[in-house]
Structures are given as structure tokens and as C-alpha cells.
Amino acid sequence: MSNSGMESLGPNSEFNETPLKIAIVGFGNFGQFIAKGIQRQGHVVLASSRSDYSDYCNENGIKFFKNLEGLCEEEPDIVLICSSILSTESVTLGIPFHKLKQDTIFADVLSVKEFPRNLFLDVLPPEFGIVCTHPMFGPDSGRHGWAGLPFVYDEVRILEGSTQAQKCAQFLSIFQKEGCRMVEMSCEEHDRYAAGTQFITHTIGRILSHLNLESTPINTNGFETLLHLTESTVSDSFDLYYGLFMYNVNAMEQIENLSRAFEAVKQKLFSRLHGILKKQIIERVSFQTSIPEEKPGSYFLPDNKKMKDFSSFAEPSEKTSKEQEDE
Ligand code: NAP
């Protein structure tokens, strides 16, 4: 079992083979999006899903099957699982494997990788090939094309030197020819990186969505980025976000890190504020024990006359000996 020979493919390498027949199982938001790239590369797309997408498929040159038996009887080269993370186990177990060819390749696009790899190894017939992938983009980030966008893959079980290996390379070349940045990586490594990047991004986007942020006439570039992040994360289903959490063993640690980081920032702010208030209270006490010349105003605010900007709120820094001399 080994690499299908992806590394030998230049960006413009041509296959003389017949187009692949790719069966997409789970034809929602992402399934439809990925089908467009597959079709652009001249391959045949079949689809099946819980919901009926017959009309969409008729309009887009795709054969739709209301049941998985019909889909499998077409003997696709690749079965590409595009269902939600949460439903993938039941969807995969519902596929009649015996109706498929012996060298069928199972692939997936799930945003977590260890889970589908283990599931496929566990339930698929041993002669089936397995390639786990994660296109690190979606209908929003990939709407103007896939050039330069990362595509992670792990050839988990592909029979070396076989037709299966050649078909696997042909499948991966779809993304390479679309201009994706191909990243070969183990499923474990993917999940470690993804928890610290994609899951954190989604979490921040979801948190921001609770603030009901609105565009203003004075948006900074940073704020525009936050607005866009909020919009793009909430346009993904909550099932997807929940899947990133539930099916990635590293996600819990990241949630805890995030929570600790927020507390650390609050602590830093409040401890400085506390320092200023404490100092003013002590000054006030010493003022009152001496004879006050005039009644002090609000002690929290700096003296109006001295206040030039908000830096007056900062704790006074140690004076240099030069400044002390000048006084
Ligand atoms: P999703 O909410 O994660 O998944 C929707 C798909 O799952 C639809 O095809 C839906 O079928 C199917 N589904 C949901 N519950 C089901 C159930 N109980 N039984 C059978 N099928 C069920 O949204 P998505 O954005 O389309 O993502 C699909 C997959 O692509 C996910 O695994 C996700 O991690 C991956 N992915 C998404 C993106 C992205 O940007 N959206 C990027 C990379 C990878 P029906 O439509 O027929 O109901």
C-alpha cells in the first residue's frame, strides 16, 4: 500500500485514461460545490443524498439517485462522501458495498480526518482503496476558483502499482489541475493543525455572531475582517461546527486555551485599572490626613488641566533622574 504517484504529476500532466465516474454521497452545500470542479475537469458526476436534488442535477448534467442501490449499480470508480460529519457513519454503513467494484476507492471531504479514516478502515471491504481529503476551502472562499487554496490528502490504503493507484492519482489531479496547493499529510497531523486554526477561526466567528456586529461609516480594515469572518462562519451549518468540535480530539483543548486567553487579557486590563484605583484611594487617604488645600474632584479621572489624551489614564512611569533634577 503506498503513494499513488502524485509527486510525479506536474501541474499540467495529462491523463489519457477515460474520465472517472465519481459518486458523491451527500449532495448539500459542499457536495454541489465540489461537483462543479470535478465536472470542470471532465469527469462524470453521480449523486445521492437524503434530500431530493433531482431538479438541480437535471439542470447541471448530473445523474441523481434517490437510493444508494441505484448509485452503486453504476459501479463508480470513486465514492466521495460529502455528508455532514455527524451523519457520515450512518451514511457510510447504508451503502451496499457488495454492489460496488472490487477496486472502488472511498474518498471523503470531511473537515476532520482521523474519524473518517478509522471508520473506513473499520467498515470497508479490505480491497477497497481509501483516500482521505480535506479541501480547506468552501463555497465562499472558493467562489472565484480554487487556485492557491490548500487541499490536504492522505492516501490511507491504495494498492501500489495497480489500476486503483492510477485512479487515485487521477482523482487527486482534479484538485491539482484546478490550481490547489496540494498538501500530503497524515490524518492525525491534519486534526492537530485544524483544531488550532480552523476550529479556532470558526469559534471566534460564532462568538462574534452573538455580538450582532454591524457595519459603520468608520469601519477599520480589522473590523471589516471580523464582519467577513462572522458572515462566513455562520453561513456554514451548525452541524459542521459541532462536528469540528465533537470529532476532533484536539478541539476541547483549544476551547480551553481560548477561554484561558480571554481571562488572561481581562486580567491584564483589570489589574492595571485596579492598580490605578488603589493608588488614588491611598492618595486620597493621605490627602485627608494632611490639610487639603482644595477639594479634590473625581479621583478616578486625571486632573482636567493635565489631561491631554487617554494616556493620562496610564499609571505614571518612574521618573528619570534628569526629570527629577528639572523639577
Ligand atoms: P453539513 O451540514 O456539514 O452537511 C450537509 C450534508 O450532510 C448534506 O448533504 C446533507 O444531506 C447531509 N446530511 C446531514 N444530516 C444527514 C443525515 N442525518 N442523514 C443523511 N445525510 C445527512 O454542510 P456542508 O457544508 O454541505 O458540508 C458537507 C461536508 O463537507 C462536511 O463533512 C464538511 O465537514 C465538509 N466540508 C465543508 C466545507 C464547507 O466550506 N462547507 C469545506 C470543506 C469540507 P441533504 O442535503 O440531502 O439533507
Side-chain angles (χ1 to χ4, degrees), residues 29 54 66 74 77 255 262 304:
N29 195 24
S54 306
K66 288 188 178 151
E74 293 281 321
D77 301 298
I255 281 267
F262 184 52
N304 260 353

Side-chain angles (χ1 to χ4, degrees), residues 202-216:
H202 275 251
T203 303
I204 299 283
R206 294 262 161 201
I207 293 170
L208 291 175
S209 73
H210 283 269
L211 294 177
N212 300 318
L213 300 181
E214 280 178 11
S215 189
T216 74

